[in-house]
Amino acid sequence: MSYTKPLPTLAGHTEDFYGWCKKHELRFQQCTGCGAWRHVPRELCAECGSWDWEWMRSSGRGTVFTWTVAERPLHPAFADAAPYTPIVIAMEEGVRIVSEMVDCPHDQLVIDMPVEVVFDDVTPEITLPKFRRAG
Amino acid sequence: MKDRACIVGIGETKYVRKPGSGMTGVQLHLQAATRALEDAGLTGRQIDGIIPSPYVATAEQLAANLGAATLRFATTVHMGGASPCAALPIAAAAVTQGIADYVLVPTGWNGFSTARARNVVATDVKSLPGATIARDYYLPFGLTAPPQWYALIARRHMHEYGTTAEQLGCVAVAMRKHAQLNDNAIMRGKPMTIEDYMMSPMITSPYRLFDCCVETDGAAAMVVTTAERARDLRKTPIYISGAAAAQPHPADEIFNRKDIYEAGMTIAAPRAFAMADATPADMDFAEIYDCFTFEVLQQLEETGFCKRGEGGAFVEGGRIELGGDLPVNTHGGLLSEAHTLGMNHIVEGVRQLRHEAGARQVKDAQIGLVTGWGDFGDGALAILRR
């Protein structure tokens, strides 16, 4: 059965971000001028103005920042998915990323709970970074 | 610019859900606009500036229909639901600088029968700020609609400050109570208790059905001119004492703000209060953009009515109801009157200050504020006085 949920459009920096995910590596831009990490990808560092950056590998570790349980789907592609739980993870590097958990029912979620990244190869082209409980 | 420009005309269509307005978006705009012109005692020919909201009608379409033959100022503020309120400082600047004499600000949509607000991302992701960000980094994980974005912030606030569902319910109940005094409110005749609120189905936790505004067919409009011209028009001029709009940083992505609660309002509010030489304590009422209940708490905090984290306690005990210390959304708000991108809040603020609000009149109202909230947290605030 084909995958029917929305997928990112692979272009520009987004192609690079998800390209690393396909290799099962979570990477964010890090400014080579001041060291600031950033997500989502940008052209310049909003902290120091530098155009220079690298895709640096994240530890993959973070904590649960917040979540919502979508009981009533508000998009046709998720009509059969509810209830599902979009979540925001605060990564060790200081950036936050929207994702979902693969192993934790929503009634067991706790804010600040430690989590780590896993990779879900949803199509041959696209891998989404998701999260599971960490020790 | 303080008190040098005025709102001189207001107009609204009937607000409806089923079976829909039966009018096009442009027709709705024109009906609200012509009512605002009549209220002011102006004709379409005198309008030489138009600031339509995004999405539905263009300045060109409106000017052509209204006979605005000398249009010399047209722009649009791209701030979603903050657009009408954010148009106020622009309209005031335009008329006080002579860029236009009479500026029409119309807004409206068939928000129930055609373009459901909840579907905006599904149907028109380009309408969002940072559209590709939502598409590439939110949608794949099912984060698809405004109540979901803001529910995430609300849950964090509940965790950090102990804000409760019952406190969110106080906002919904107050708006519903006020709507019972308003003939044009969608929820007139449908009173609601806190128990009703708590029993309403969860949409996207912590937001229940009654935390969410009523998608509506309808339109509203206002006319702005200088204080000098206002004195010759039909109605009591309502002065724009302070007005400002701002965006959070970054404005195109919600979850990587250093301070997750900082919104456009955080930046706009002190500027608007300074311009008006007023403080929150001076306000006789507040019409606060209430797309969802938590955004009312957040704006009460960010405008300075209470400290960060105290919004929940602030709305308890009827404080924001008519007769309380700070009546909020005396018309019923987006939660119980209608969703016209917040132009209905401006219209209500003007009615209160003209003392035309009938059964829901705040006694001897002299000064009040109106806010707008849009997109990923853009904000606008206007302090109005009679």
Side-chain angles (χ1 to χ4, degrees), chain B residues 6-62:
Chain B
C6 293
I7 301 173
V8 294
I10 51 173
E12 292 174 294
T13 66
K14 187 170 171 49
Y15 295 143
V16 295
R17 282 163 70 87
K18 285 175 187 164
S21 69
M23 298 166 73
T24 66
V26 173
Q27 287 171 333
L28 286 169
H29 274 68
L30 290 167
Q31 187 177 80
T34 52
R35 288 175 180 178
L37 289 168
E38 185 184 344
D39 182 61
L42 293 166
T43 66
R45 192 157 295 276
Q46 289 169 279
I47 293 296
D48 55 4
I50 302 184
I51 311 179
S53 297
Y55 318 131
V56 176
T58 65
E60 291 83 353
Q61 284 174 304
L62 297 166

Side-chain angles (χ1 to χ4, degrees), chain B residues 260-342:
Chain B
I260 200 71
Y261 307 112
E262 183 174 302
M265 187 60 68
T266 315
I267 301 160
R271 292 173 185 273
F273 280 115
M275 179 173 156
D277 192 22
T279 69
D282 297 326
M283 298 300 117
D284 294 323
F285 61 85
E287 315 295 359
I288 297 183
Y289 195 93
D290 51 332
C291 42
F292 308 99
T293 52
F294 172 70
E295 280 57 50
V296 175
L297 303 192
Q298 187 175 359
Q299 290 177 84
L300 286 166
E301 294 177 3
E302 300 309 305
T303 50
F305 283 103
C306 58
K307 291 200 182 84
R308 179 77 64 82
E310 294 179 354
F314 187 91
V315 301
E316 287 181 320
R319 181 184 274 144
I320 62 168
E321 295 178 10
L322 280 163
D325 292 344
L326 181 75
V328 170
N329 295 353
T330 46
H331 52 328
L334 303 184
L335 287 165
S336 280
E337 188 201 40
H339 190 332
T340 58
L341 293 121

Side-chain angles (χ1 to χ4, degrees), chain A residues 18 42 66-68 84 96, chain B residues 136 142 152 155 204-205 252 256:
Chain A
Y18 283 103
R42 307 280 184 185
T66 185
W67 73 90
T68 183
Y84 65 93
R96 303 189 190 109
Chain B
D136 296 338
L152 289 162
R155 178 181 304 283
T204 186
S205 68
D252 60 357
N256 278 282

Side-chain angles (χ1 to χ4, degrees), chain B residues 170-220:
Chain B
C170 286
V171 175
V173 167
M175 305 306 94
R176 189 66 68 90
K177 191 179 273 191
H178 297 164
Q180 305 315 309
L181 304 172
N182 177 357
D183 284 337
N184 204 17
I186 298 282
M187 291 299 178
R188 171 137 195 180
K190 297 178 182 170
M192 180 175 75
T193 65
I194 190 75
E195 290 76 24
D196 297 330
Y197 164 84
M198 293 299 289
M199 290 293 287
S200 70
M202 200 61 88
I203 301 296
T204 186
S205 68
Y207 283 156
R208 293 169 165 80
L209 178 64
F210 293 147
D211 289 300
C212 303
C213 55
V214 289
E215 293 161 306
T216 309
D217 287 6

